[in-house]
Amino acid sequence: MARSTPVKKAWRSLAWLGVMIIALTGVNLYGVLVDGWSWTPKLALDLQGGTQIILAPQLEDGQAVTPKQLEQAVAIIRQRVDAGGIAEPDIRTQGDNNIVVSVAGEPDAATLDRIQSSAKLEFRPVLLTAAAAMSAVGEDTTNPSASPTPDPSLATDPSVAPTNASDDAWITPALQSLYDSFDCAANETGGANVAPAAEPLVTCDDNGAFKYILGPVEVAGETVVNATAQMQTTQQGASTGEWVVNIEFNAEGTEQFAAVTQRLFAYGEPDVHNRFAIVLDGRIISAPTTNAVIADGKPQISGSFTQASAKTLADQLKFGALPIGFRVDSKDIISSTLGGSQLSSGLVAGLIGLILVVIYSLFQYRLLGSVTILSLIVAAALTYLVINYFSWYNNYRLSLAGIAGLIVAIGFTADSFIVYFERIRDELRDGRGLVSAVEAGWKRALRTIFAAKSVTLLSAVVLYVLTVGSVQGFAFTLGVTTIIDIIVVLLFTHPVLQLLASTRFFSAGHPITGLDPNALGAVYRGRAQFRAPVITGVRNAGATKEAARRQTIAERKAAESTPVKAEPKSRDTKNSRKDS
């Protein structure tokens, strides 16, 4: 006998769900066997403890830190740390000067670099370099092949005032002497990260292999709006296979950069003055040539980039624009702020909530409640696999607030099943058969479920975008479980009910199924229409009570306001009165 269409759809949906679970399990298993993952999600700072880094400002003599600068620095450092996938870092100010950064566990080298690379980002013109060979147009030239020896005669008369930032008049005998004696290996930054923006700078490239004399700052790092790494494309949209870094300035930076590139482009290649340097932490992270006047504020840096190096440069440009420079004052291991007892309490609370949902489902829906239990088990399995994947692949860490989001999701998930079950019962009350009631109830319930889940998901997205810390962790788990809830309802709950409706036991409406038509719809006919029940036993009496219980307030008021018609008097009574 051929299967009906609902049954075929049900098995197809369950097959897709099985593929999804197998795929997630396979990804986690691969991570455990190959990349050193664990089957347990990582815990956040409040549950595990971690590392605390105190950053102290590096200031010039007489300079003071303002509260606004500290607030800007905190926001930028948080962006840096979040870029590495770290969940819920604690970043705050300490006193009037320091910034305290607390991250869960032992941070890796990349995370420490993001935190410690905390100086200002600057754009300066190149005046002199010990490796002045030019690279290809637009190419990063921090590793040139030729190295002409600097000529001491380039030192200018200190009494001559420079006319612009690229003027060689900046190279005084004192600056030339400093440059000649400057040792990149012995000087990490040489104090360059606190050099005045209006003065020239002697520093080295990020590898410490080449030293430079740079002019004053012409474009501040604060004007960078965005920086991205991507594959370079031709005008026809075809990929060249080379990685590039695209920069976007704000209005102020666009105007400044246009003026700079117009002057630098006029020098032409191979003049060293054709280059500008991007300086972070007092070191040059890139020194490309200028092959065009960039008037739209969207320059592109190309060169021998790999995907990793392009992304690193993009992150440095995007998150490197601190208003002041910082140094690491101390780094300590700290204990968890809440600890394992709170984690255990949270898990116990979740277990109690789950037990209450199970008891309610079985009491209210009898055997139909088992579908709720199975659906919750499937949702829990999917949630666990997804959270564990994000924990190890994207370095997400589960905090107590995140666990609270998972606990709240139990009620939200059960709510979807309740809406669907009640729609099926409504259809049974209207006289439909179980197979038809399942399909019709699904169409009605789906709109309600989608509307409710859309609101929940929107709330989670807004919280995640607009908040930080533990609230963001709560929003993340709430959003993940909301999406999983929809998947479970579509690919498990509805297909299982389709299969159950096709069985003789459920379609016969046995009382234990929770879908007994006599108890649910034998009396109630929809739209406030009732028929007088014929009470022949306990079962019909229960149906009458069920019908009365399910009347709305409006229906009860309408029934109470309807006048009761008096029974007509018998003919014998009338005749007797007439005779009298």
Side-chain angles (χ1 to χ4, degrees), residues 207-218:
N207 297 321
F210 305 95
K211 56 185 177 181
Y212 293 78
I213 296 181
L214 306 178
V217 175
E218 293 201 277

Side-chain angles (χ1 to χ4, degrees), residues 38 57 118 121 179 183-184 221-222 237 242 246 264 266 349 363 411 517 525 528:
S38 172
S118 53
L121 178 70
Y179 172 77
D183 186 356
C184 293
E222 291 88 343
E242 296 182 359
N246 294 320
L264 299 186
F363 175 79
R525 309 308 300 166

Side-chain angles (χ1 to χ4, degrees), residues 106-455:
E106 179 66 26
D108 55 18
T111 302
L112 290 175
D113 287 342
R114 287 189 178 93
I115 297 173
Q116 296 174 0
S117 299
S118 53
K120 292 185 293 184
L121 178 70
E122 303 170 335
F123 294 83
R124 294 173 177 260
V126 175
L127 301 180
L128 184 63
T129 178
M134 297 294 102
S135 63
V137 174
E139 185 174 324
D140 177 25
T141 57
T142 56
N143 188 23
S145 57
S147 303
T149 303
D151 185 358
S153 64
L154 289 176
T156 60
D157 184 352
S159 63
V160 178
T163 58
N164 58 58
S166 297
D167 196 334
D168 285 332
W170 290 106
I171 308 177
T172 63
L175 187 64
Q176 180 70 55
S177 176
L178 173 62
Y179 172 77
D180 293 337
S181 61
F182 194 84
D183 186 356
C184 293
N187 295 271
E188 289 296 325
T189 61
N193 53 350
V194 294
E199 297 180 9
L201 170 66
V202 176
T203 188
C204 300
D205 69 317
D206 199 36
N207 297 321
F210 305 95
K211 56 185 177 181
Y212 293 78
I213 296 181
L214 306 178
V217 175
E218 293 201 277
V219 183
E222 291 88 343
T223 61
V224 175
V225 175
N226 194 19
T228 57
Q230 65 182 45
M231 297 289 285
Q232 188 178 37
T233 58
T234 64
Q235 293 182 348
Q236 290 73 29
S239 175
T240 64
E242 296 182 359
W243 283 93
V244 296
V245 176
N246 294 320
I247 307 174
E248 182 179 351
F249 291 99
N250 61 15
E252 179 185 0
T254 298
E255 182 178 354
Q256 293 174 346
F257 199 76
V260 172
T261 55
Q262 184 174 14
R263 187 185 71 246
L264 299 186
F265 181 66
Y267 285 103
E269 296 186 68
D271 195 322
V272 69
H273 296 83
N274 178 256
R275 300 167 60 186
F276 68 93
I278 304 172
V279 183
L280 179 65
D281 294 336
R283 285 187 175 272
I284 298 173
I285 59 176
S286 182
T289 59
T290 306
N291 59 3
V293 177
I294 311 298
D296 60 355
K298 297 179 180 179
Q300 182 183 88
I301 302 176
S302 62
S304 301
F305 288 119
T306 62
Q307 181 178 2
S309 62
K311 185 180 185 304
T312 298
L313 177 57
D315 287 344
Q316 289 173 323
L317 291 170
K318 186 176 181 180
F319 304 127
L322 286 180
I324 52 177
F326 288 88
R327 59 178 174 83
V328 177
D329 187 61
S330 65
K331 186 177 72 170
D332 302 302
I333 302 299
I334 58 175
S335 60
S336 59
T337 57
L338 296 178
S341 60
Q342 280 74 14
L343 175 60
S344 301
S345 299
L347 296 177
V348 170
L351 181 61
I352 293 174
L354 182 61
I355 292 175
L356 292 176
V357 170
V358 169
I359 293 175
Y360 171 81
S361 299
L362 294 177
F363 175 79
Q364 178 70 14
Y365 297 105
R366 299 175 177 85
L367 194 57
L368 186 61
S370 62
V371 179
T372 299
I373 299 173
L374 292 175
S375 299
L376 287 174
I377 293 174
V378 174
L382 285 172
T383 302
Y384 165 75
L385 292 172
V386 170
I387 293 296
N388 198 66
Y389 168 80
F390 278 110
S391 177
W392 291 96
Y393 184 77
N394 287 342
N395 209 14
Y396 168 75
R397 291 184 178 268
L398 190 62
S399 64
L400 192 62
I403 294 175
L406 298 178
I407 295 174
V408 170
I410 296 175
F412 289 161
T413 302
D415 179 66
S416 301
F417 310 146
I418 292 173
V419 170
Y420 183 22
F421 295 163
E422 289 300 326
R423 291 294 183 267
I424 294 176
R425 287 184 161 191
D426 288 343
E427 296 299 329
L428 290 174
R429 294 186 189 100
D430 284 340
R432 291 181 181 271
L434 183 57
V435 174
S436 177
V438 167
E439 298 303 320
W442 173 245
K443 293 179 180 178
R444 294 176 57 190
L446 192 59
R447 293 192 296 268
T448 304
I449 292 172
F450 277 158
K453 299 307 171 185
S454 298
V455 173

